[in-house]
């Protein structure tokens, strides 16, 4: 059972438990936790077998959340996510059978391998935390988090996520391959009789995570920081290399992530470095490069770096 402790000590304890299953990747783990604290969803684009599913399952255990996993294939239907009603002969009524989305943490594995119709079924539940079946609304668990994965290689037979759905993911991260030392440690753990990931203890429960999310929302943001965020977004929209820049939903996500980053660092106010730290993972999947950038071999990482360099960092001299 989770033990009573100060809220700001809990994130470190959560990460310590997750590291029992995930070797290295501390930066990725921190960003995912920041997204959870900000109440957002996570998209993971990476090669098969690098630990995406392990990461999701480890977080669900450490956070004490109910978790369901859906392996997306072309034959997965929207009803598999939202649920369906079935006639109960004994009672003479139609009874709702919950779908996979009725949980706290939904792991959507290889989301780009299912049909657009099924992908769109996630839109309502990701935004509203509810599903509608036969005219009746059913709430998911609270908090509700989606971790979706997709493989950028081997795209035959896949359906790219539309920009409207990509925009609903607060961040996009990639784990990448482990270092040689990390991979040796992975091999050692996998060969042990009792695998470490099976010993993950819950640090908090759903109610405590919701309370931490409430504290994050109360973090103060100065008008200069709001202006800084808007200028960064404007720089992505009015850029010579972008066809599509950061959306207003993206600036909302950037603000929420900055507040969570500040809270995680023990502050009750946001500073420019909070925004700069999480700007790439919030922005990269939301922008589309134009033909000029592609011809010039400009990558999104380079574009984001130049945007951060071009927008002046505000000076916060007065007290908060």
């Amino acid at each position: 059972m989770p033990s009573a402790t100060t809220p700001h000590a809990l994130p470190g304890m959560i990460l310590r438990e997750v590291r029992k299953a995930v070797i290295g990747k501390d930066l990725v783990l921190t960003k995912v936790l920041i997204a959870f604290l900000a109440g957002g969803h996570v998209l993971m684009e990476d090669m098969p077998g690098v630990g995406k599913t392990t990461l999701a399952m480890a977080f669900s255990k450490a956070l004490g959340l109910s978790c369901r996993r859906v392996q997306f294939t072309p034959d997965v239907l929207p009803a598999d996510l939202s649920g369906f009603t079935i006639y109960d002969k004994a009672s003479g009524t139609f009874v709702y059978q919950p779908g996979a989305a009725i949980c706290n943490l939904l792991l959507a594995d290889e989301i780009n391998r299912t049909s657009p119709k099924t992908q769109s079924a996630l839109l309502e539940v990701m935004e509203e935390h509810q599903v509608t079946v036969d005219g009746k609304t059913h709430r998911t668990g609270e908090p509700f988090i989606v971790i979706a994965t997709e493989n950028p290689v081997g795209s035959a037979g896949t359906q790219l996520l539309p920009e409207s759905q990509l925009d609903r993911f607060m961040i996009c991260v990639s784990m990448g391959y482990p270092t040689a030392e990390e991979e040796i440690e992975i091999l050692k753990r996998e060969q042990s009789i009792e695998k470490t990931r099976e010993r993950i203890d819950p640090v908090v429960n759903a109610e405590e995570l919701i309370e931490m999310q409430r504290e994050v929302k109360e973090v103060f943001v100065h008008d200069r920081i709001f202006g800084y965020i808007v200028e960064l977004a404007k720089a992505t929209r009015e850029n010579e290399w972008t066809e599509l820049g950061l959306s207003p939903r993206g600036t909302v996500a950037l603000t929420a992530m900055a507040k969570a980053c500040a809270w995680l660092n023990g502050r009750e106010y946001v500073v420019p470095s909070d925004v700069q730290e999480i700007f790439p993972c919030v922005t990269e999947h939301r922008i589309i490069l134009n033909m000029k950038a592609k011809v010039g071999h400009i990558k999104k990482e380079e574009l984001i770096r130049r945007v951060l360099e071009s927008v002046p960092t505000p000076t916060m001299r007065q007290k908060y």
Side-chain angles (χ1 to χ4, degrees), residues 3-55:
S3 58
T5 185
T6 57
H8 284 284
L10 292 174
M13 297 169 63
I14 293 169
L15 291 175
R16 185 170 65 246
E17 291 298 318
V18 174
R19 292 189 189 106
K20 292 180 179 179
V22 181
I23 309 298
K25 312 304 178 188
D26 286 353
L27 185 58
V28 174
L29 297 182
T30 302
K31 288 180 179 178
V32 171
L33 180 58
I34 291 173
F36 289 171
L37 293 172
H41 307 294
V42 178
L43 177 63
M44 303 190 70
E45 289 185 335
D46 223 322
M47 308 296 175
V50 294
K52 301 185 295 293
T53 303
T54 300
L55 180 147

Side-chain angles (χ1 to χ4, degrees), residues 177-215:
Y177 289 119
T179 64
E181 293 77 11
E182 291 170 350
E183 194 157 6
I184 290 173
E185 182 61 27
I186 291 172
L187 294 176
K188 289 180 178 180
R189 292 194 182 187
E190 287 298 316
Q191 298 303 314
S192 64
I193 297 175
E194 184 181 4
K195 294 182 179 179
T196 310
R197 62 172 173 264
E198 296 172 357
R199 303 198 305 269
I200 296 176
D201 297 318
V203 175
V204 297
N205 53 36
E207 290 74 20
E208 289 173 310
L209 178 56
I210 291 173
E211 182 57 34
M212 286 192 288
Q213 291 175 340
R214 287 198 189 102
E215 291 189 11

Side-chain angles (χ1 to χ4, degrees), residues 25 100 114-115 141 154 157 166 173 203 218 273-274 278:
K25 312 304 178 188
T114 194
S115 66
L166 281 173
V173 294
V203 175
E218 293 174 357
S273 60
D274 296 322
I278 48 83

